[in-house]
Amino acid sequence: MSYLSRESSSLSNELWSQIDSTVVKSARSVLTGRRFLHLVGPLGAGTQAVPVDDADSLKETDAGGLKTVSGRKFIQLPILYEDFKLLARDLESADQSGLPVDLSKAARAAQNCALKEDKLIFFGKPEFGYDGLLTVEGARKIPKKDWSTGENAFTDIASGITYFAEAGINPPYALAVSPDLYLQMERLQPGTGLLEIDRVSKMLDGHLYLARALGQKKAVLAGCDAINMDLVVGQDMAAAYLEQTDMNHSLRVVESVLLRIKRKEAVAVFEE
């Protein structure tokens, strides 16, 4: 039996295809981290752990014929999931009428799972040993001014880029901001006739992203080249079959992913 257990269901191949399309489209409408992070994989559902290197301290040591690698640890890929149901009567009604099955619940589950992925990328899960861009120790902290006035957003972000340049963190750079800060930059810059957000976006070569997972009043700048960080995908997001109970079908949107930060200096967090 495959990992997704689809062969144990009575759902048609055509319906599974529709579910797959819905899950992918709905997840893409939410996912932010994947838009700027280098992806490794999918490596497969059986991938349980991957090496995470500290690029600045990685080295091989030799102790009398015994060699080990320091600056490397192996971390489990966590599983993220969201469940939903398809009602048997709805499927039967669609089959009799010829109308498409309403997959709104599948879409919502995919969006929720995508939001969990972004929250893992940005905030990690420190209690389980997972670093996030805003929580990793060693990231640069930059005091954030009021981005709703003057050119504070532009100067703060320019300060972050200057820090990266001085630290030897090369482009590309990506800025992820919470929805409120994104809207604060949607205003004319005094004396320039330009929107603040357009000036910032140009400085970042267009790598400016609204991230719903950030909540409010949060922004992070990342040197997102693969030598600094990446996103490992084991099982890519897909729908799995769980069981049929009370004649209804239980399914799960599931994936396994891990953010690897190889150079902590490649993260700059703006905080008040």
Side-chain angles (χ1 to χ4, degrees):
M1 183 178 292
S2 71
Y3 180 72
L4 299 178
S5 299
R6 294 184 176 186
E7 63 272 23
S8 65
S9 79
S10 60
L11 305 183
S12 68
N13 290 335
E14 181 182 0
L15 181 55
W16 276 117
S17 179
Q18 293 171 13
I19 293 172
D20 287 339
S21 178
T22 298
V23 167
V24 170
K25 181 178 179 180
S26 300
R28 283 178 177 171
S29 70
V30 175
L31 290 169
T32 302
R34 292 197 188 203
R35 297 175 64 189
F36 62 85
L37 290 169
H38 175 75
L39 296 184
V40 177
L43 302 178
T47 304
Q48 298 189 51
V50 292
V52 180
D53 296 343
D54 183 334
D56 294 324
S57 64
L58 185 70
K59 64 178 181 180
E60 189 176 63
T61 58
D62 191 330
L66 188 152
K67 286 191 175 184
T68 60
V69 176
S70 60
R72 170 176 293 163
K73 54 186 176 181
F74 287 83
I75 299 183
Q76 292 185 50
L77 270 72
I79 294 174
L80 307 178
Y81 70 91
E82 185 78 15
D83 295 345
F84 68 98
K85 284 189 176 182
L86 296 178
L87 302 183
R89 291 188 68 188
D90 289 345
L91 298 181
E92 188 66 19
S93 176
D95 186 56
Q96 291 179 1
S97 66
L99 296 174
V101 177
D102 184 356
L103 295 177
S104 299
K105 290 183 178 180
R108 183 65 179 272
Q111 290 175 351
N112 288 340
C113 194
L115 188 60
K116 290 176 183 179
E117 177 182 310
D118 273 351
K119 286 184 176 180
L120 183 68
I121 289 170
F122 291 116
F123 297 106
K125 206 72 174 174
E127 62 268 36
F128 294 115
Y130 296 118
D131 290 328
L133 293 176
L134 276 79
T135 57
V136 62
E137 292 185 9
R140 179 79 167 189
K141 306 294 185 181
I142 299 178
K144 185 182 76 64
K145 306 182 189 73
D146 182 1
W147 286 11
S148 66
T149 184
E151 57 179 14
N152 288 337
F154 184 87
T155 57
D156 279 355
I157 296 158
S159 175
I161 292 175
T162 300
Y163 156 69
F164 278 168
E166 292 175 348
I169 307 296
N170 298 320
Y173 307 134
L175 176 71
V177 299
S178 55
D180 58 328
L181 296 184
Y182 191 93
L183 292 175
Q184 285 178 16
M185 291 188 288
E186 288 274 12
R187 57 186 177 79
L188 284 173
Q189 179 66 55
T192 67
L194 300 173
L195 292 175
E196 179 86 346
I197 198 167
D198 289 340
R199 294 184 70 201
V200 171
S201 181
K202 184 176 180 180
M203 186 165 51
L204 296 165
D205 292 327
H207 299 297
L208 170 60
Y209 305 97
L210 184 155
R212 174 186 163 198
L214 285 174
Q216 290 188 331
K217 299 181 180 180
K218 292 181 176 62
V220 59
L221 184 67
C224 55
D225 191 277
I227 65 173
N228 300 321
M229 62 187 68
D230 58 30
L231 185 69
V232 179
V233 180
Q235 168 64 54
D236 208 354
M237 193 180 297
Y241 191 78
L242 295 179
E243 60 180 349
Q244 186 173 11
T245 55
D246 296 330
M247 301 180 68
N248 301 317
H249 300 271
S250 296
L251 294 90
R252 170 170 293 176
V253 175
V254 62
E255 65 171 339
S256 56
V257 294
L258 176 69
L259 171 68
R260 297 193 298 186
I261 301 176
K262 306 169 190 177
R263 294 192 67 187
K264 299 174 182 178
E265 300 84 358
V267 182
V269 180
F270 299 94
E271 55 182 24
E272 296 181 342

